[in-house]
Amino acid sequence: MSKDKLWGGRFTQPTDKFVEEFTASINFDKRLYHQDIRGSIAHATMLGKQGIIPLEDVELIVKGLKEILEQIEAGTFDFSVSLEDIHMNIEARLSAKIGDAGKRLHTGRSRNDQVALDIRLYLRDELVEISAYLDLLMDSLIYQAEENLGVVMPGFTHLQTAQPILFSHHMMAYHEMLKRDKGRMEDCLKRTNVLPLGAGALAGTTFPIDREHVAELLEFPEVTRNSLDSVSDRDFALEFCSAASILMMHLSRFSEELILWSTSEFKFVDLSDSFCTGSSIMPQKKNPDVPELVRGKTGRVYGNLMALLTVMKSLPLAYNKDMQEDKEPLFDTIDTVKGSLKVFADMVREMRINPTRMGQAAGAGFSTATDVADYLVRKGLPFRDAHEVVGKAVRYCIENEMDIPELSLAEWQLFSGKIDKDIFACITVEASVNARKATGGTALERVKAEIERAKEGR
Ligand code: ARG
């Protein structure tokens, strides 16, 4: 009946054609071919070493698998939906090529531990690549921070002008965020980098396998300690999707700022033409498509995390077919994060900022009001009273359509006799910025030191 199926023995009826397609994963898990073959070679090698299968068979298996690898890479391998997934596609082809030796490969193994292995191998490499992309973007941020040292801009809270800051300080804020993202990826790698093979279907295997040897061959520092957990655990994929969601959240905030800063109202940055598109009707338009799209893609990465969490929710131990649904959200998250990081690294490096506009905005909107209050505190006023005095001065400015730098000494003295002409040196944006010297502050010397620290942290 189901002669083409590797598990056809107990079946009398062929699989329904639609069910076959509905249950197959080959269309999306074929990207695991390299990991599948690498895992099988290690497994076969161990089976040979343990005397579980003949060494001549191991030789045939390894040779056959390498040929299959070449075929897949050359694009000449014919993937079959009726063989369901990448594991059975490769195994069936191997048996067709080398006969009984190929049929011995699956000894002491199940697709349940095999698929867990393949995903871990795959994600492990991707995590390393994603860390490298994070480095690229962090380098672009350092580049912008160093290129524009000394440029001031308004810092915002509630998107209202708050206090002047250095543009470099703002760039280095994103550097901090991405550094934590990298830490989360590295942390995820620790729990991904554990060998599940040897768990069998769920309970282990009756053959005298050597899991530690397979771990060594595949460069896993550890093996999993419970066979049930080994085949039912997808925490590592969830951790990755969570870390990826936080990372995309960071990129979405940066996107939003770049979109805002590119408006004709702000004019803080000019994104390179190569990262923008025009409008088919409005000739003046240059749209910030890349940051908009990354902001949008954040939604799909969150969606992937929710999808995977929901797939795993309430699943009884151990493997359940539901878990085949782990791959698409995982792969899509990997692709989306890598693409977003890559495009951002280039876009950030190439963006040009407008120091004049930023500088004007930094001095407007009563941005140095806190500096006046701090000045009064240094003259002996309790902070709350100083706050009240400056509040009144701001009110006066609003009523007279002025800003803080325009007030004369006589006007200042209407609000407090403690104010003297030394006030003027405190309320320039440069003075405001450079007064914030404590660790983590926006003073030029501080920011320079943090840039150096970031560069040494490599
Ligand atoms: N295609 C399956 C998956 O991705 C492989 C494991 C199937 N195991 C099984 N017992 N049906 O999850």
Side-chain angles (χ1 to χ4, degrees), residues 110 112 199-204 226-229 231 318-319:
S110 151
N112 298 349
L202 74 164
N226 180 294
S227 60
L228 286 171
D229 180 49
V231 290
Y319 178 85

Side-chain angles (χ1 to χ4, degrees), residues 7 23-26 28-29 32 84-88 110-116 119 201 234 319-327:
W7 40 254
T23 55
S25 53
I26 187 62
F28 48 85
D29 68 15
L32 296 172
E84 193 181 320
D85 56 26
I86 186 64
H87 325 294
M88 294 199 288
S110 151
R111 265 187 304 151
N112 298 349
D113 54 350
Q114 188 179 359
V115 71
I119 310 172
R234 291 295 181 272
Y319 178 85
N320 298 271
K321 182 74 170 180
D322 313 44
M323 288 160 70
Q324 182 169 289
E325 289 289 309
D326 60 356
K327 281 165 217 62

Side-chain angles (χ1 to χ4, degrees), residues 40-96:
S40 288
I41 290 177
H43 179 65
T45 307
M46 178 279 291
L47 290 178
K49 177 184 87 80
Q50 296 299 97
I52 300 168
I53 65 172
L55 288 171
E56 307 83 74
D57 285 1
V58 178
E59 229 174 89
L60 287 171
I61 290 172
V62 173
K63 187 164 163 285
L65 286 172
K66 285 186 176 160
E67 282 165 16
I68 292 173
L69 179 65
E70 274 170 27
Q71 267 192 331
I72 296 178
E73 290 190 329
T76 56
F77 188 95
D78 203 6
F79 292 102
S80 150
V81 169
S82 72
L83 287 166
E84 193 181 320
D85 56 26
I86 186 64
H87 325 294
M88 294 199 288
N89 265 269
I90 290 174
E91 195 193 322
R93 178 61 52 88
L94 182 70
S95 299

Side-chain angles (χ1 to χ4, degrees), residues 286-302:
K286 175 170 152 184
N287 296 325
D289 285 40
V290 167
E292 287 177 284
L293 205 49
V294 169
R295 188 176 58 179
K297 282 179 187 294
T298 305
R300 89 193 258 153
V301 171
Y302 289 6

Side-chain angles (χ1 to χ4, degrees), residues 123-162:
L123 182 57
R124 180 170 88 167
D125 289 347
E126 294 292 341
L127 282 167
V128 173
E129 237 187 86
I130 287 169
S131 287
Y133 277 119
L134 278 165
D135 280 336
L136 278 185
L137 179 50
M138 285 194 277
D139 283 345
S140 297
L141 288 165
I142 291 176
Y143 170 81
Q144 285 291 351
E146 283 194 309
E147 279 293 291
N148 298 293
L149 263 179
V151 172
V152 287
M153 65 177 282
F156 300 93
T157 62
H158 312 265
L159 201 53
Q160 306 285 319
T161 298

Side-chain angles (χ1 to χ4, degrees), residues 11-23:
F11 287 77
T12 53
Q13 304 253 306
T15 319
D16 177 275
K17 265 288 153 220
F18 181 71
V19 169
E20 205 165 75
E21 267 178 44
F22 186 74
T23 55

